[in-house]
Amino acid sequence: MKYNKRFSTTAAVAATFMITAGLAGCGGDEGGEGEGLEDSYTVASDTSFVPFEFEEDGEYVGFDIDIINEIADRVGFDIELETTNFDGIIPGLQTGTFDIAIAGITITDERGEAVDFTSPYYKSGLRIGVPADDTTIESVDDLEGLTIATRLGSTSADYIENNIEGATANTYEQLDQAYLSVEGGGSDAVLYDAPNVEYYILTAGEDTLKTVGELLEAQNYGIAVSQGNEELVDAMNTALAEMIDDGTYAEIYSEWFGSEPEWLEELAELQVS
C-alpha cells in the first residue's frame, strides 16, 4: 500500500484541494454514508512542520498527511485540504471555517475547551536547539534571561513564558524563521517540538545547530475537530485504533522517521475505539 498520497499546489498562500478518499476502506460502511457523518470535510494544516506536513516539489507530503488520508479512507469521507498559519487553526475550527485540523497539535486543557480532540496519534515533547559552537547552554536552566525563538501560538511559547525566568520569546509564524533567527544571531536558542527540532538539525541545520538538554514536557498530539461532531471523532478514533493494531500506523511512521516508534505500546493504550 502506498501511504504518501500527495497534494498539488494551486495557489501561493492558502490553497484548497479535494482528495478523493476511497469508500472501500475497512471503516467505509460506517463512514461518510453513516448517520451523522458527511461525505466531505475541510481539513486544515500548517504545511511548514517538517516532517509532519510540508511542501516538496509543489506537493504536500508528510507523516500527518498520510495519517489523515488513511483515516479518511477507513471512515469513508473525502478531504478538502486548506493551509493556514498554525495560530489560525483553532480559531478556524471555532468559526466553522475548518472541520478537522492536523498539524502536530498538542492536546491541552485550554485547547480542549475550544475544540474536540481524537485519541493521541503521536507522543512528543519539547527540545532545545542552540548554535553548534555554543558552550554555555547545556540545559533549560541555562536559558534564563536569554532570547528564545519559537513558533507563534505554540505550547513551547507558553512554556517559555511560564517556566523560564527572564527569558524573551521570539515568536514566528513559520518555523524556518525561528531556526534562521538562531543561526543568524537574533536568538540564543530555539525551543520547539522535539521531532521538528531533531529533523531540522539532521537536515538543513546539520552544520549550524545542535540539541542540548533533556526532553521537556511530555506531550501528545491529537487531531482537532470542531465541537459538535462527536460521531466524527468516534469514527476517527476507531480508525486510528485499527491502524495501530494492524500495523499500518507503524508502517507510515517508519516511512518518515526510519524506524518504528519506541512508544507504540504506550500510544496503543491511549486509544479510545
Side-chain angles (χ1 to χ4, degrees):
M1 179 180 293
K2 184 176 178 60
Y3 298 111
N4 56 331
K5 301 176 185 179
R6 298 171 181 266
F7 308 100
S8 299
T9 305
T10 58
V13 182
T16 302
F17 311 86
M18 181 64 73
I19 306 96
T20 301
L23 299 182
C26 66
D29 291 340
E30 300 176 5
E33 298 177 345
E35 183 179 352
L37 297 181
E38 302 293 336
D39 293 330
S40 176
Y41 290 99
T42 301
V43 178
S45 189
D46 177 356
T47 52
S48 64
F49 187 36
V50 180
F52 289 80
E53 46 265 324
F54 61 104
E55 185 177 352
E56 182 179 74
D57 298 328
E59 300 177 325
Y60 289 128
V61 298
F63 175 75
D64 279 356
I65 301 299
D66 290 349
I67 289 293
I68 195 61
N69 268 303
E70 182 67 21
I71 288 174
D73 282 345
R74 291 178 182 236
V75 175
F77 60 83
D78 295 341
I79 294 173
E80 185 177 330
L81 181 70
E82 294 192 5
T83 61
T84 187
N85 290 328
F86 186 82
D87 60 324
I89 288 176
I90 300 297
L93 289 169
Q94 290 179 288
T95 60
T97 303
F98 315 126
D99 302 307
I100 301 168
I102 185 167
I105 305 169
T106 300
I107 299 172
T108 67
D109 292 339
E110 181 180 1
R111 288 173 177 166
E113 295 177 359
V115 300
D116 293 331
F117 281 102
T118 63
S119 302
Y121 74 95
Y122 191 94
K123 295 184 68 65
S124 183
L126 304 181
R127 180 70 76 188
I128 303 167
V130 300
D133 59 357
D134 183 273
T135 59
T136 62
I137 303 173
E138 298 180 350
S139 71
V140 66
D141 294 336
D142 298 321
L143 294 178
E144 292 185 3
L146 301 184
T147 299
I148 308 167
T150 192
R151 194 182 203 175
L152 183 66
S154 66
T155 54
S156 50
D158 294 335
Y159 184 89
I160 294 168
E161 180 180 352
N162 297 325
N163 297 277
I164 306 178
E165 186 175 351
T168 299
N170 270 351
T171 56
Y172 299 91
E173 289 187 346
Q174 302 299 325
L175 278 172
D176 57 347
Q177 296 173 316
Y179 295 117
L180 290 172
S181 176
V182 181
E183 292 170 336
S187 298
D188 300 299
V190 61
L191 178 69
Y192 196 63
D193 292 14
N196 186 260
V197 174
E198 292 165 356
Y199 188 90
Y200 183 86
I201 290 174
L202 283 173
T203 54
E206 181 180 13
D207 299 322
T208 56
L209 299 178
K210 64 181 180 181
T211 60
V212 296
E214 298 179 353
L215 189 68
L216 306 171
E217 294 287 286
Q219 302 172 335
N220 294 320
Y221 292 166
I223 302 171
V225 180
S226 58
Q227 292 183 335
N229 289 285
E230 290 83 3
E231 291 189 34
L232 175 60
V233 173
D234 290 344
M236 293 173 70
N237 280 341
T238 297
L240 180 58
E242 290 174 350
M243 289 164 58
I244 293 172
D245 184 62
D246 66 21
T248 303
Y249 179 94
E251 290 183 45
I252 296 174
Y253 185 97
S254 296
E255 179 178 344
W256 291 103
F257 299 99
S259 63
E260 293 187 7
E262 297 177 357
W263 34 257
L264 188 58
E265 290 186 6
E266 297 176 45
L267 187 68
E269 293 174 356
L270 296 173
Q271 301 307 301
V272 177
S273 60

